[in-house]
Amino acid sequence: MRTIIIVQARMGSTRLPGKILKKVMNKSLLEYQIERLNKVNNVNDIVVATTINRIDQPVVELCEKLNCSYFRGSEDDVLLRYYEAAVKFRAECIIRVNADCPLIDPDIVSEILGYYQSNCDKFDYVSNILEKGYPVGLHTEVFSMEALNEANSNSNSLIEREHVTPYIYRNPNIFRLFSYSIKKDFSKYRWTIDYPEDFELIRIILENIYINKQNFNMYDVINFLESNPELLKINVNFKKEQTL
């Protein structure tokens, strides 16, 4: 099963422009994410799916510097961009993550992928986003090329085309879904980047953890934040709900 991680990435964020290439310790956030995704097991390629907009040329240049695959497609129709990237790189199984999640945990991605690969005869889609539990910023979706093809062919909703997978998980009568859940609720933690406060928190986490342990995991970050609870106040006023 040819498995591709597709990372949607663009510079044109309205709330924090250029956020994915903001630097911490002379390394961009997208570079941290690609470095971490390279540790995911049983993956054939990582593809950064960016846009044809010239503002995203720096994303392409970073991918070329890192020898990372990339694809340029529609800026607004992200579902089409995903589909065309999957076709070009001959994906049979797709892992979807967002570029604004530099702390993505490769162990969790590997677990969810492993579950999907062991149960692909039972499920079309496996993710940890259907119920609260994992920190925001560690969300991972795994699904078949057939499911992506059907979504691209049949979805007409602007929200579904902007967010790629809602057509799949909104239609349990069509697709076989599985929620990869965790017993303890860690959803109060926000490790995605939409606002300057989010970046400030991520900067502090990386400067204190990465420098000593590059291959850190979710629990390393949780332990650090629990030891420094004042840090949780930095971006506590911002919420990011799943598109349901």
Side-chain angles (χ1 to χ4, degrees):
M1 184 183 298
R2 182 167 168 77
T3 300
I4 306 295
I5 299 176
I6 301 181
V7 184
Q8 69 184 68
R10 68 187 185 96
M11 294 287 286
S13 168
T14 55
R15 290 169 292 199
L16 188 58
K19 61 185 180 181
I20 61 174
L21 294 190
K22 285 187 173 294
K23 290 189 175 182
V24 177
M25 297 184 295
N26 295 315
K27 185 182 294 188
S28 71
L29 298 180
L30 181 57
E31 194 168 351
Y32 282 107
Q33 185 176 39
I34 291 171
E35 178 183 297
R36 293 176 67 74
L37 290 173
N38 271 313
K39 296 179 171 67
V40 177
N41 299 326
N42 301 319
V43 168
N44 296 99
D45 204 355
I46 299 169
V47 178
V48 174
T50 191
T51 84
I52 57 176
N53 192 321
R54 64 182 181 180
I55 196 175
D56 289 315
Q57 182 60 29
V59 177
V60 171
E61 292 171 0
L62 176 64
C63 289
E64 291 175 340
K65 172 187 171 184
L66 300 177
N67 196 28
C68 177
S69 299
Y70 64 88
F71 177 84
R72 304 189 80 165
S74 172
E75 182 171 14
D76 300 319
D77 191 341
V78 188
L79 174 53
L80 178 62
R81 193 198 318 164
Y82 254 74
Y83 172 76
E84 291 177 340
V87 169
K88 178 177 179 179
F89 288 91
R90 299 176 289 109
E92 297 173 291
C93 168
I94 297 100
I95 304 170
R96 177 179 179 260
V97 295
N98 289 323
D100 55 5
C101 302
L103 304 188
I104 193 80
D105 189 329
D107 293 337
I108 293 172
V109 179
S110 295
E111 287 175 17
I112 296 172
L113 173 61
Y115 188 88
Y116 172 83
Q117 290 176 330
S118 298
N119 295 277
C120 59
D121 58 330
K122 301 175 185 176
F123 300 110
D124 305 302
Y125 170 96
V126 175
S127 81
N128 63 354
I129 73 169
L130 299 180
E131 337 175 30
K132 287 186 175 181
Y134 285 91
V136 176
L138 299 191
H139 290 166
T140 302
E141 300 171 277
V142 183
F143 45 91
S144 67
M145 184 64 196
E146 290 78 10
L148 180 60
N149 180 50
E150 190 160 349
N152 182 62
S153 298
N154 297 314
S155 175
N156 295 311
S157 161
L158 291 177
I159 289 178
E160 290 174 353
R161 301 209 69 88
E162 180 183 356
H163 294 282
V164 182
T165 53
Y167 180 85
I168 298 175
Y169 58 72
R170 284 174 168 179
N171 288 286
N173 57 318
I174 299 174
F175 303 101
R176 301 167 299 171
L177 313 177
F178 182 82
S179 177
Y180 195 91
S181 59
I182 190 169
K183 290 182 179 179
K184 191 169 182 180
D185 185 2
F186 295 120
S187 60
K188 71 175 183 179
Y189 298 107
R190 176 184 167 86
W191 304 339
T192 189
I193 296 180
D194 286 315
Y195 302 96
E197 292 85 349
D198 295 326
F199 175 72
E200 177 65 10
L201 178 62
I202 295 297
R203 180 189 65 78
I204 293 170
I205 291 171
L206 287 171
E207 288 180 348
N208 283 273
I209 297 180
Y210 182 86
I211 195 167
N212 296 311
K213 185 180 181 182
Q214 294 185 5
N215 195 26
F216 63 88
N217 60 30
M218 175 181 75
Y219 293 102
D220 293 318
V221 181
I222 290 173
N223 291 337
F224 171 69
L225 293 175
E226 290 301 314
S227 298
N228 300 274
E230 71 281 0
L231 297 179
L232 296 174
K233 299 176 183 178
I234 292 176
N235 65 349
V236 70
N237 292 325
F238 302 106
K239 304 294 181 184
K240 188 170 187 175
E241 299 295 336
Q242 182 59 32
T243 302
L244 297 175

